[in-house]
DNA sequence: TGACTATTGTCGTCTGGGCGACAAATATGC
DNA sequence: GCATATTTGTCGCCCAGACGACAATAGTCA
């Protein structure tokens, strides 16, 4: 299902992940897309300065600039930091490699480090007593997570699992707090990130309370398409088409929007029949963005 | 740990609003509610030191101490600040008095001040195109709100309306940003507040996606009872009973948990028949907290 | 390449709860 | 103290969507 290869994944894949033969894309793909990636292996090892160079200048949107509520909710913490801040932060961080489905932490864990995604994708979710999983958030490269549990001094409330092979930087609670205290600008940016998350969760809440499944799916697709915009999908894509460049199973979507898997399958099939979306290489393309936006207009959030 | 509505409201009512004879419950009574407010004009003007004296020494819980996810979500920003911070913050604030149902801001407004509730209660909500209202948050005395929209540089997304006669301090975006920048400790506390809100919204989301209406109502009641604990309800209350010391119509509850008003009425009647709750003076008492907690255990969030 | 697991696609069946429509009970403004 | 507005309480109808049950693919790994 999809690859979330947006700019991020490509970026990171090239500089950090690439093991020379296997990239995240390989997991999903059998043919072309990955061909280009394999070349990257040569320059696999990196230094922090590498990272700075790679991440900062790519022109990611500043947290202030986002016009879309959803996309700025996925504001890139790392890229919003200055060179010095990035350096100081990475200095106190520890890099970790996770295989797909590795748990970073579980509900009930004592750990309360903060994490920043280097490459890949982390799924943040809760599990109910009946086993139902509700995904609260996907964290993509550059994003920070775990922050909102820092000041609780209590157990983790949620689970964090690598959705694919993922690399994260972990920073201890203590160090991170110290970092924020000594870098007021960064603290302000952290506030911005949390603010964005509050808004996004608020939106999700309103949508869940007011909209039907079709609208919620439409919103999700548009949102993820926005997040992964800027990547030209390697597959053939018609003009005006948006690519939802993230690997999502129907079950994932269901857990994300609070619906059952079957309903998601059916609704997606329906949208496909209408010609609003189509499946391309395990991921979704929005053929008629307007069709979905029209749905959203009728919706609430 | 938390009491708020109680201590705070009482506190403020007495010092600013009040009249010395009117406590929070009076609001709920037919006669007292507004009557008391008119009296306040006499001593309406206050000094900052008044506020400091009144607010700070009461030993409100620090945002770090909360054990309950819900209640610390209503962490008291103002009381967590130091004397100096409070002083500096109030210095740049402007006090506003709102009548019940006054709009503080609406979706689409350009204003992006930050507000701190002095007394009363602010309802933060969104309205869908069909007119359905979804309440995201109630802000009680000491709480700060509007913060999460500061860094957007865009229109307000939500509405803020006084749920009853309410007093707030407003601080301009610019001043507040400057305040945080010059008071790193306060900035950290702001991060703590936002974190709590992220957690609370996450909970709400999971609950909405997984639990039925009865469980959601139970959770809401327990949560609000916790917020308002510490107040001995003026009405007769049996030992072990919890008082939900907030004025909520069934419609409010419905908007809060994403259900229809009728269902709320029915479910509440059901809980009453079971002897789990009872109505006292326009508000609800939880007669059997265990009954509700049992429901929550079966639930998800 | 074959065995296994994960994902997708489709049915019926069944129900929680939305919604319109009232009537009764309260609250609030004048 | 009345007139109006708001809130509560109850029905019955109806449907979006949950859920169980399979079958068909597609993907993974030894």
């Amino acid at each position: 299902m999809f690859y979330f290869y947006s700019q991020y994944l490509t970026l990171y894949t090239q500089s950090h992940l690439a093991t020379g033969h296997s990239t995240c894309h390989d997991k999903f793909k059998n043919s072309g897309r990955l061909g280009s990636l394999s070349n990257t292996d040569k320059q696999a090892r990196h230094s922090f300065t590498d990272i700075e160079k790679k991440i900062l200048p790519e022109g990611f949107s500043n947290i202030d600039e986002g016009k879309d509520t959803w996309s700025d909710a996925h504001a890139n913490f790392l890229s919003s930091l200055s060179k010095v801040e990035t350096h100081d932060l990475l200095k106190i961080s520890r890099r970790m490699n996770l295989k797909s489905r590795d748990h970073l932490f579980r509900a009930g864990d004592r750990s309360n480090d903060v994490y920043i995604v280097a490459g890949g994708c982390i799924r943040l979710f809760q599990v109910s007593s009946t086993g139902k999983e509700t995904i609260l958030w996907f964290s993509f490269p550059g994003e920070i997570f775990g922050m909102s549990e820092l000041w609780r001094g209590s157990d983790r409330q949620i689970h964090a699992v690598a959705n694919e092979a993922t690399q994260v930087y972990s920073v201890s609670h203590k160090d991170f707090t110290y970092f924020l205290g000594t870098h007021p600008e960064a603290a302000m940016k952290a506030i911005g990130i949390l603010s964005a998350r509050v808004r996004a969760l608020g939106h999700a809440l309103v949508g869940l309370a007011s909209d039907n499944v079709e609208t919620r799916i439409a919103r999700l697709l548009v949102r993820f398409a926005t997040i992964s915009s800027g990547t030209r999908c390697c597959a053939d894509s018609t003009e005006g088409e948006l690519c939802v460049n993230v690997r999502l199973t129907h079950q994932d979507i269901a857990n994300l929007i609070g619906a059952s898997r079957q309903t998601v399958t059916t609704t997606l099939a329906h949208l496909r029949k209408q010609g609003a979306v189509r499946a391309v290489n395990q991921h979704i393309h929005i053929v008629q963005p307007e069709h979905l936006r029209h749905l959203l207009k009728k919706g609430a959030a």
Side-chain angles (χ1 to χ4, degrees), chain A:
Chain A
M1 335 174 107
F2 341 74
Y3 329 66
F4 151 66
Y5 38 49
S6 45
Q7 25 187 346
Y8 293 125
L9 194 47
T10 306
L11 187 81
Y12 273 101
T13 303
Q14 294 181 341
S15 56
H16 307 312
L17 297 184
T19 54
H21 55 283
S22 150
T23 68
C24 12
H25 281 135
D26 282 317
K27 297 200 322 280
F28 307 122
K29 202 153 188 205
N30 11 10
S31 52
R33 188 179 288 176
L34 304 199
S36 56
L37 289 177
S38 48
N39 296 333
T40 60
D41 307 335
K42 302 166 190 167
Q43 51 172 80
R45 288 298 147 242
H46 64 283
S47 67
F48 288 144
T49 39
D50 271 345
I51 293 166
E52 290 173 38
K53 276 177 201 155
K54 293 289 182 184
I55 297 177
L56 293 178
E58 289 296 328
F60 291 120
S61 66
N62 184 281
I63 50 174
D64 290 320
E65 297 166 12
K67 290 297 173 231
D68 178 82
T69 309
W70 286 114
S71 54
D72 75 320
H74 277 276
N76 190 299
F77 181 65
L78 207 46
S79 73
S80 75
L81 298 180
S82 72
K83 247 187 149 70
V84 174
E85 287 163 350
T86 306
H87 179 263
D88 289 352
L89 181 57
L90 291 177
K91 208 165 54 183
I92 54 174
S93 76
R94 195 163 58 88
R95 188 182 169 87
M96 299 171 65
N97 289 302
L98 301 168
K99 291 193 301 292
S100 185
R101 297 182 201 199
D102 277 358
H103 272 70
L104 194 50
F105 56 77
R106 295 160 196 269
D109 279 5
R110 274 281 159 197
S111 84
N112 53 357
D113 293 354
V114 177
Y115 301 91
I116 297 163
V117 182
C121 174
I122 296 284
R123 188 167 84 246
L124 297 160
F125 61 96
Q126 263 195 24
V127 178
S128 79
S129 51
T130 59
K132 185 183 164 73
E133 175 178 318
T134 304
I135 300 179
L136 293 170
W137 202 264
F138 273 109
S139 277
F140 297 115
E143 291 181 36
I144 186 168
F145 65 93
M147 189 165 40
S148 59
E149 275 162 310
L150 267 197
W151 283 263
R152 268 214 95 209
S154 176
D155 296 348
R156 292 277 184 195
Q157 305 288 300
I158 59 178
H159 298 259
V161 171
N163 216 33
E164 53 188 75
T166 300
Q167 304 74 48
V168 300
Y169 295 105
S170 90
V171 182
S172 76
H173 174 180
K174 192 167 142 289
D175 289 343
F176 187 70
T177 308
Y178 182 76
F179 169 77
L180 288 186
T182 52
H183 298 74
E185 290 286 311
M188 296 299 271
K189 285 161 192 162
I191 290 177
I193 296 283
L194 285 169
S195 297
R197 202 146 310 183
V198 167
R199 289 195 306 274
L201 286 171
H203 261 257
L205 203 57
V206 173
L208 188 52
S210 310
D211 297 329
N212 63 19
V213 171
E214 186 172 41
T215 305
R216 301 212 295 276
I217 289 184
R219 180 169 296 113
L220 186 76
L221 292 180
V222 171
R223 165 190 167 199
F224 273 76
T226 308
I227 296 173
S228 58
S229 69
T231 338
R232 263 155 271 77
C233 177
C234 58
D236 64 315
S237 68
T238 318
E239 188 62 35
E241 247 183 50
L242 295 179
C243 173
V244 182
N245 227 343
V246 187
R247 220 262 150 159
L248 292 171
T249 66
H250 292 180
Q251 187 65 63
D252 285 337
I253 297 177
N255 296 341
L256 229 14
I257 64 170
S260 72
R261 194 227 91 218
Q262 292 96 318
T263 306
V264 171
T265 299
T266 308
T267 308
L268 233 29
H270 181 229
L271 286 174
R272 218 180 306 129
K273 264 173 218 143
Q274 292 182 305
V277 303
R278 68 189 180 103
V280 179
N281 285 341
Q282 316 296 325
H283 66 280
I284 297 174
H285 273 209
I286 302 177
V287 182
Q288 303 173 357
E290 277 318 309
H291 185 288
L292 298 191
R293 293 211 188 89
H294 179 65
L295 282 178
L296 299 197
K297 256 179 225 157
K298 291 193 301 183

